[in-house]
Amino acid sequence: MSDEVLSSVSEAEAEGDRFPSLASLRVAHGELLKRHRERGSEPEVMTEIKQLIRRGRATGALLDREDDRWAAQSLLDYWSSLLYRAGQEPPDATLMEFDPDLAPDLADHLCPYLGLEAFREKDESLFFGRQRLLEKLLKHLETQPLLMVVGSSGSGKSSLVLGGLFPRLKAGALPGSQDWVYYPPLVPGSTPLVALAQRCPGVETAPTVSALLKDPEHLLHLTSAATSQPVVLIIDQFEEVFTLCREEEVRHSLAQNLLNFIQAPDRQNRLILTLRTDFESQFVRSPELLQLFDQSAVRVTALDAAELREAIERPADLVGLKFEEGLVDALLNDVLGEPAALPLLQFTLLKLWDHRDHNRVTWEAYRRLGGGRLALARSADEFYNRLIPEEQVTVKRLLLRMVRPGEGLEVTSNRIPREVLYRSGEAQYRVDEVLEKLIQARLVRLTEGDRPEDAQVEVAHEALIRNWPRLVDWLEEERFTLRQRLRLTEAAEQWQTRDQEASLLWRGTLLAETSRYEDLSPLEQSFLQASQAVEVAERQQELAQLRFQRRTNRALSVLSLVLVFLMGVVLYQLQQAKRQRISQLAFTAQALLTAQPVEANLYGLAAYGASHSAKVNWPGGSETNATGNSLLALNQQPSEINRLTGHTGPVNSVAFSPDGKRIVSGSGSNDGSLRLWDATTGQPIGTPLTGHKDGVRSVAFSPDGKRIVSGSLDTTLRLWNAQSGQPISKPLTGHRSEVLSVAFSPNGKYIVSGSADGDLRLWDATTGQPISKPLTDHTDSVRSVAFSP
């Protein structure tokens, strides 16, 4: 700094130093205005004005934003002019130049950002940007006892409920809600009834779980006995009831207890659930809750630019953190439209905080991180590259245990007990060291339990699974192995919950493949030992049966010779009868050939079929000629059985239902409809299926025959109920040109479509949602698509 600046700083410090911020200067300005109005130009007031000008001038060294400097300068100019008018010489009121070295340091514990962590009740003061949606949730809860907060992964569902809605309810945002009883929020996991029982105060877990299984009103009885006030229960990540819990009985008992909990006429209980959008279709497995879904679901929409700006700047203002000019706009441009915008933004902000310069976030730090899109991937890579090779191997092994591959391309976070990580065969100290480093890097979250063995670990957020290319590559390499390994875990858990039922044990190839797994849990070891014991016992039993069979075979050999002779006599008589029947069919076919050709063909086919299935060997003669002539007539004079009419345009595609009883047809641009037909009579079934705005190019039945998919020249696909002919969902949009071919997967869960735009697209056959990015390697139209078996 120059001597002049140093002199000015010393002068300001002698008069009480500078204001810590523009906000502080404004507060002092407001207080001084009030005193000046009350006391006029008293000498004491004039002295205070001069002191404010000196301190305000020195404050300029802390102000880097141009609009802040203009605001501060206007305040100083106001007081300087007032002194002139009062006949006094004012001190220099020109703001000092900004000096970053004079900015105050912010302590680490003041960090206003959470990274990949969800907001909780304790973080309420830092939760911004969701005021509009919070008001909508509160209004819903005024009249409805059930609230389902539905959104995609990374949309901020958990933060919205736990960090926004939950504390506002407790503070009295609804009439009387400050007096309601709030149970600690829970995450279902693989044992949702256990998690629920642990949140009920003053009860033992095991007996409560047993009672919840037997009594659908047990939760209501527990809460009613504990308090006369309404009870609020929050279940975060409710999709785990379907993805992690494998017991239908448990799901049913949970749903029944929750319904009775909120539907009791003399109670005002509230139930709040969060659910990922891509698991909505799983509610068909819980019909009790499905019927309430439409009236209880509130969608979590993406934050707009103004709300994102608030989420960035308001927490920063609380602790005095500043952003260099234009940096907030750059962050907004980075994350707007991203699928996991909020976790990516929060992680980037957290890393920018870690790299702050005193109280400022700089462009240099932003560029070093790679901006909002690359901050997570670069930070994870930097963490990984700092490890020694042995630790890198351990990181890969630990993270792959914390994910759960789905049936398609979906991969989700898998929360597991910490002790599971020790079963990989590695030294425990190395697992602990690497796990601690992952936690410190905020890539993994540790949740402590009531006991040390109850501690659980999980990936900090599914945004890491989608946005760290290295982890994505690991998942692609290990997807098959992970599914097979997860299959063993699920089989062992199911075996245990069903009282170790022998029919659930593994045999053969499934059992043999488990020999390569080293990280077995005690439950999995017991399951495999029981499987091996049963397999050995069954093999011994098979050997004993084989020996008995051999002895029996000797005794039966003589009897067999006698039976063969008798059977020969019977077969000869049957052969003669079949010859006579075939001859009758063949001669009838010939007789009807001229007058009734269709019936003649049918009789000829019947003769041929009977001859072929009976394997009759004709010695020659009239019977052979009659059969041959009738079939020859069939080949020479083909004729239709019936004619299916009704379309007004060209028919572009037809398909039989899997049971062969129905036909679906799709018509071209002059018609644009689908029609269902009885495959036996050729009569139309119901009315035409209309909805496409242009011709239908391709149709297909689902493997179970319950749904139809159609692809159209209007660039859309449509799903139809094959019984009622009604559309199942909104049109499936995404192609940029005509849809030329469609097909269901063999399990009926997916649809593939090919288009004149050169793309293939995969769709969820239940919801109609796309499940991946388009497959775009073709350079011309895709005219045919098919799934492998």
Side-chain angles (χ1 to χ4, degrees), residues 264-294:
D266 57 339
R267 307 284 295 175
Q268 297 295 318
N269 296 332
R270 299 292 194 279
L271 174 62
I272 303 171
L273 312 177
T274 70
L275 178 75
R276 271 180 48 173
T277 304
D278 42 346
F279 289 101
E280 287 182 44
S281 60
Q282 296 288 346
F283 262 84
V284 299
R285 297 160 67 182
S286 184
E288 303 91 343
L289 294 173
L290 178 62
Q291 58 184 336
L292 299 177
F293 184 85
D294 289 338

Side-chain angles (χ1 to χ4, degrees), residues 151-182:
S152 59
S153 177
S155 62
K157 305 178 298 297
S158 297
S159 295
L160 176 65
V161 170
L162 303 178
L165 180 62
F166 189 32
R168 290 196 64 177
L169 285 173
K170 295 179 77 171
L174 292 181
S177 65
Q178 70 276 6
D179 298 321
W180 296 352
V181 176
Y182 297 86

Side-chain angles (χ1 to χ4, degrees), residues 184-412:
L186 67 96
V187 178
S190 59
T191 54
L193 292 183
V194 173
L196 178 59
Q198 290 173 344
R199 298 306 187 278
C200 297
V203 301
E204 295 183 18
T205 301
T208 302
V209 170
S210 179
L212 290 169
L213 279 169
K214 296 175 182 177
D215 182 4
E217 295 188 347
H218 187 67
L219 177 62
L220 176 62
H221 296 329
L222 280 179
T223 55
S224 300
T227 179
S228 59
Q229 288 289 338
V231 175
V232 178
L233 181 61
I234 297 176
I235 305 181
D236 190 23
Q237 301 176 44
F238 191 74
E239 64 272 5
E240 290 188 355
V241 172
F242 309 111
T243 60
L244 298 184
C245 176
R246 298 296 170 183
E247 289 301 304
E248 186 63 40
E249 180 185 8
V250 171
R251 276 196 295 269
H252 178 72
S253 297
L254 176 68
Q256 288 291 339
N257 271 279
L258 293 179
L259 280 176
N260 288 321
F261 169 75
I262 59 174
Q263 291 179 340
D266 57 339
R267 307 284 295 175
Q268 297 295 318
N269 296 332
R270 299 292 194 279
L271 174 62
I272 303 171
L273 312 177
T274 70
L275 178 75
R276 271 180 48 173
T277 304
D278 42 346
F279 289 101
E280 287 182 44
S281 60
Q282 296 288 346
F283 262 84
V284 299
R285 297 160 67 182
S286 184
E288 303 91 343
L289 294 173
L290 178 62
Q291 58 184 336
L292 299 177
F293 184 85
D294 289 338
Q295 66 192 56
S296 304
V298 175
R299 305 280 172 181
V300 178
T301 54
L303 275 75
D304 60 27
E307 291 170 326
L308 282 172
R309 184 181 296 278
E310 183 180 348
I312 297 171
E313 294 180 343
R314 291 288 298 278
D317 291 342
L318 290 176
V319 299
L321 181 68
K322 301 179 180 298
F323 291 83
E324 284 193 345
E325 195 76 27
L327 211 161
V328 172
D329 292 330
L331 284 169
L332 293 178
N333 290 331
D334 281 344
V335 301
L336 274 174
E338 284 290 316
L342 289 178
L344 288 178
L345 175 63
Q346 280 288 327
F347 185 88
T348 304
L349 290 169
L350 180 60
K351 287 299 179 181
L352 289 172
W353 165 269
D354 290 341
H355 293 82
R356 66 193 181 279
D357 181 7
H358 296 287
N359 69 336
R360 296 167 62 248
V361 174
T362 65
W363 276 101
E364 179 186 358
Y366 172 83
R367 294 189 182 100
R368 188 163 65 248
L369 283 174
R373 286 193 174 94
L374 298 179
L376 178 55
R378 283 193 180 179
S379 298
D381 276 332
E382 287 177 8
F383 162 79
Y384 182 79
N385 293 331
R386 287 196 301 267
L387 302 174
I388 61 176
E390 291 83 358
E391 291 177 328
Q392 290 177 344
V393 172
T394 303
V395 162
K396 177 180 179 181
R397 188 171 292 154
L398 297 187
L399 289 179
L400 288 179
R401 287 309 308 268
M402 299 181 204
V403 297
R404 176 182 292 264
E407 293 185 3
L409 302 176
E410 183 67 23
V411 179
T412 58

Side-chain angles (χ1 to χ4, degrees), residues 647 650-655 663-668 696-700 740 742:
H647 283 298
V651 178
N652 292 330
S653 181
V654 294
I663 300 170
V664 64
S665 58
S667 181
V696 177
R697 285 299 303 268
S698 182
V699 293
L740 303 178
V742 294

Side-chain angles (χ1 to χ4, degrees), residues 6-34:
L6 288 171
S7 175
S8 299
V9 171
S10 299
E11 179 186 8
E13 289 174 346
E15 296 295 333
D17 204 2
R18 62 187 63 81
F19 293 103
S21 65
L22 174 62
S24 300
L25 172 58
R26 282 173 168 156
V27 171
H29 166 76
E31 293 174 348
L32 188 54
L33 274 177
K34 183 178 179 181

